[in-house]
Amino acid sequence: MSPTLFISDLHLSETRPDITEALLAFLGGPARDAGHVYVLGDLFDFWVGDDTLDEPLNATVVSAMRQLTDSGVPLSVMHGNRDFLLGPAFASATGARLVPDPLHVDLHGAPSLLLHGDTLCTDDVAYQAFRRHVRDPAVQRQFLAMPLEARRAQVGQVRASSEREKREKAMVIMDVSPDTVSATFRDHGFARMIHGHTHRPARHEHVVDGHLCERWVLSDWETRAEYLRADAGGCTRIPVTIPG
Ligand code: LP5
Ligand code: MN
């Protein structure tokens, strides 16, 4: 059975053409032999609305994703904290399915929980308040009704506030909360979790009510272009190689 592949946190932007290059190599290479490809959030550095689909970087990514889905490989995209405004026009242009966070999947016989990962960072109280605000559909409607340049300006302000606040926060606050991880394993009853967001790639083991559970954290591509491959034998990290 073909493997399932996971990527997240590419933070695609015009300032890092090397990351877009790596994504194109992934989509035209290993992704073609996958049974399913999942993007677990923060594909883009930020997304201000589907009316930007024709911008050069976005059009390049959409076209490469469309070629993948046209070749018959299912592609699922989850929102991250940067690109939660990816909407139905993006989905129909790429042929991808926008999936909820968290998502339950059976990975080659192993029930697994997929998340972006930001919901596990519950000690970051300021971020969780910000998240509740910007995930409110009324707030999003109001934002999307603004002219494009005003939306970009507002995102610039939010990014600056976020960077300022992050400098003040302890590193431990910006990681997952161990209690929330245990509670999440307990609530869903699955022994495997896969997520991104924290930019701290690792495989963690957790013992929850006497059961051994594993948590895979995906790498961010600003540091290391890499995907996670899951098959009946388990999960493996694989670096993306750029041909030529
Ligand atoms: O992204 P990263 O990893 O650097 O930091 C995150 C948290 N920050 C964010 C903010 C994003 O970086 C920028 C969001 C772009 C979104 C574009 C869409 C349009 C927005 C409007 C839609 C309605 O997610 C950071 C975490 C960190 O992860 C680690 O987990 O700590 O959280 C913060 O720093 C948030 C601050 O604590 C609070 C932010 C205050 C912003 C004030 C403006 C509020 C008004 C918003 C109205 C649109
Ligand atoms: Mn993120």
Side-chain angles (χ1 to χ4, degrees):
M1 202 174 165
S2 305
T4 308
L5 307 186
F6 298 91
I7 59 175
S8 75
D9 300 281
L10 284 80
H11 294 269
L12 294 172
S13 84
E14 301 283 1
T15 62
R16 289 290 304 265
D18 56 318
I19 301 180
T20 306
E21 223 25 63
L23 174 65
L24 299 183
F26 170 75
L27 293 174
R32 293 299 174 103
D33 300 320
H36 202 130
V37 173
Y38 287 91
V39 181
L40 297 187
D42 287 358
L43 172 64
F44 292 98
D45 204 32
F46 56 83
W47 190 261
V48 292
D50 283 0
D51 53 344
T52 62
L53 277 170
D54 292 338
E55 289 177 5
L57 168 68
N58 299 347
T60 301
V61 172
V62 165
S63 152
M65 287 185 151
R66 170 50 78 180
Q67 285 175 40
L68 179 71
T69 57
D70 280 351
S71 78
V73 178
L75 172 67
S76 294
V77 176
M78 185 178 280
H79 287 153
N81 59 299
R82 302 291 197 96
D83 57 8
F84 54 84
L85 291 176
L86 286 168
F90 170 82
S92 80
T94 53
R97 194 166 62 109
L98 287 173
V99 293
D101 177 357
L103 181 70
H104 293 176
V105 289
D106 185 292
L107 283 183
H108 311 271
S112 306
L113 188 68
L114 311 180
L115 316 91
H116 175 55
D118 55 332
T119 54
L120 301 171
C121 302
T122 49
D123 295 333
D124 193 343
V125 176
Y127 169 67
Q128 294 301 334
F130 169 76
R131 188 181 193 280
R132 277 192 297 280
H133 178 68
V134 295
R135 297 302 180 100
D136 177 339
V139 171
Q140 295 189 358
R141 270 195 303 277
Q142 209 175 11
F143 179 80
L144 290 170
M146 285 164 39
L148 187 50
E149 283 320 306
R151 275 179 270 154
R152 283 194 209 288
Q154 190 156 14
V155 167
Q157 287 168 4
V158 173
R159 287 287 311 126
S161 307
S162 173
E163 287 304 312
R164 209 171 33 244
E165 293 208 14
K166 280 194 326 187
R167 279 195 293 274
E168 306 289 315
K169 289 178 192 173
M171 286 304 279
V172 66
I173 282 185
M174 292 189 281
D175 200 355
V176 300
S177 146
D179 288 349
T180 303
V181 168
S182 297
T184 305
F185 274 122
R186 205 171 281 124
D187 288 352
H188 294 274
F190 291 177
R192 186 197 278 153
M193 214 186 268
I194 302 175
H195 70 82
H197 181 68
T198 60
H199 300 196
R200 301 176 204 208
R203 175 184 177 274
H204 298 274
E205 291 191 345
H206 301 266
V207 178
V208 181
D209 301 335
H211 299 285
L212 182 63
C213 300
E214 66 172 354
R215 178 170 66 91
W216 287 89
V217 186
L218 303 176
S219 86
D220 67 282
W221 287 31
E222 287 171 299
T223 313
R224 196 160 77 200
E226 178 182 272
Y227 62 95
L228 188 75
R229 179 186 195 278
D231 62 18
C235 296
T236 321
R237 286 176 193 287
I238 304 179
V240 174
T241 48
I242 300 178

